[in-house]
Amino acid sequence: MMLDVLWSAILVMLSAAFVLAFIRLVRGPRLPDRVIALDLLTIVVMGFIIVYAVRSGQAAFLDVAIILALISFVGTAAFAYYIERRV
Amino acid sequence: MPALVVQWIVALVMLVGAFFILLASIGLLRMPDLFLRMSATSKAGTLGAGLLLVGTIVHFWDFSITTRTVATIIFLLLTSPVAAHLIARAAYFDGVPLWEGTRRDDLRGHYHTSTHTLDSVVRPAPDTEIPEMEGDDFPEEG
């Protein structure tokens, strides 16, 4: 069925995004590169959770996405504070 | 299970959202410079996540879920630029090199490196390393 192909395409795109962001996380020449790669990885994982919530019909998983967005912001702010004080 | 048309709308909206997230990660990998990478991830990533959440709203179409999802979208739209600015500021102090094709750096010399405050007067402190750039800061037009 066409809809299943569409959902598979969504999951494939998210997986490719995860892999590409992870390559930047490993390679990234400096610490800020790794931090923004982690930021994008959090967004990709949020996407996985949202897709799973829609596919399984369990709206409770959306709370995980909210918490993940919150933790991502706090973590990025902490990393920025650390990088700025390190100099 | 919603009607078939609604399922198609949800799947298409979320497909576009996943595509934007993929674009953000391609930009993160391929852009030559930290600041260019950030301009790719912060904008496209937020748009992609927002589109995925909009698809969730259409799929569930329930008041409590809609409020939660809209709150998440607003939270993302508020925090993503703030986080990007924090990281960019910290990276600028850290001395992250700019792309060699950069024409202008308007912040050069305006930051106190010791106190981390902005100053409108350009005063290079003796301990700062100001990268010399090729060519004019203001390219002539015509």
Side-chain angles (χ1 to χ4, degrees):
Chain A
M1 193 171 162
M2 275 300 286
L3 264 175
D4 293 331
V5 176
L6 223 60
W7 285 111
S8 304
I10 290 172
L11 288 176
V12 165
M13 278 180 181
L14 286 177
S15 310
F18 194 92
V19 170
L20 294 179
F22 195 81
I23 292 173
R24 178 53 70 193
L25 178 70
V26 173
R27 283 206 344 214
R30 280 163 174 269
L31 184 58
D33 296 285
R34 297 178 209 274
V35 174
I36 59 170
L38 263 182
D39 212 24
L40 189 67
L41 277 180
T42 321
I43 286 184
V44 175
V45 173
M46 262 183 70
F48 273 122
I49 292 172
I50 292 166
V51 169
Y52 187 72
V54 167
R55 289 296 280 163
S56 68
Q58 293 283 326
F61 287 123
L62 292 174
D63 296 338
V64 185
I66 300 175
I67 299 298
L68 213 56
L70 229 153
I71 289 176
S72 155
F73 174 64
V74 174
T76 309
F79 266 123
Y81 191 79
Y82 165 65
I83 293 170
E84 198 170 327
R85 285 293 169 271
R86 191 180 59 167
V87 190
Chain B
M1 213 55 167
L4 194 62
V5 183
V6 179
Q7 288 185 38
W8 270 97
I9 292 173
V10 170
L12 285 176
V13 168
M14 293 181 86
L15 185 77
V16 176
F19 177 69
F20 271 108
I21 290 182
L22 179 64
L23 274 188
S25 67
I26 291 174
L28 177 72
L29 191 63
R30 296 288 299 159
M31 283 291 192
D33 178 357
L34 171 81
F35 302 101
L36 291 171
R37 280 174 207 147
M38 287 181 56
S39 86
T41 60
S42 57
K43 282 177 285 201
T46 312
L47 180 60
L51 280 174
L52 288 177
L53 288 165
V54 167
T56 314
I57 293 178
V58 179
H59 180 265
F60 286 108
W61 205 247
D62 178 71
F63 182 72
S64 67
I65 296 171
T66 303
T67 42
R68 257 185 288 170
T69 313
V70 169
T72 314
I73 294 175
I74 292 174
F75 182 79
L76 270 181
L77 287 180
L78 283 179
T79 58
S80 163
V82 175
H85 175 252
L86 281 172
I87 284 292
R89 193 184 130 94
Y92 194 81
F93 283 125
D94 201 26
V96 169
L98 300 179
W99 178 41
E100 67 264 17
T102 309
R103 299 303 295 266
R104 289 183 61 174
D105 180 6
D106 281 338
L107 279 179
R108 182 157 53 120
H110 284 290
Y111 263 129
H112 272 291
T113 47
S114 52
T115 59
H116 286 204
T117 50
L118 262 180
D119 201 349
S120 57
V121 185
V122 180
R123 56 168 100 173
D127 57 334
T128 51
E129 291 178 17
I130 299 179
E132 281 301 319
M133 295 203 196
E134 299 290 326
D136 276 338
D137 272 2
F138 300 94
E140 310 235 343
E141 292 184 11

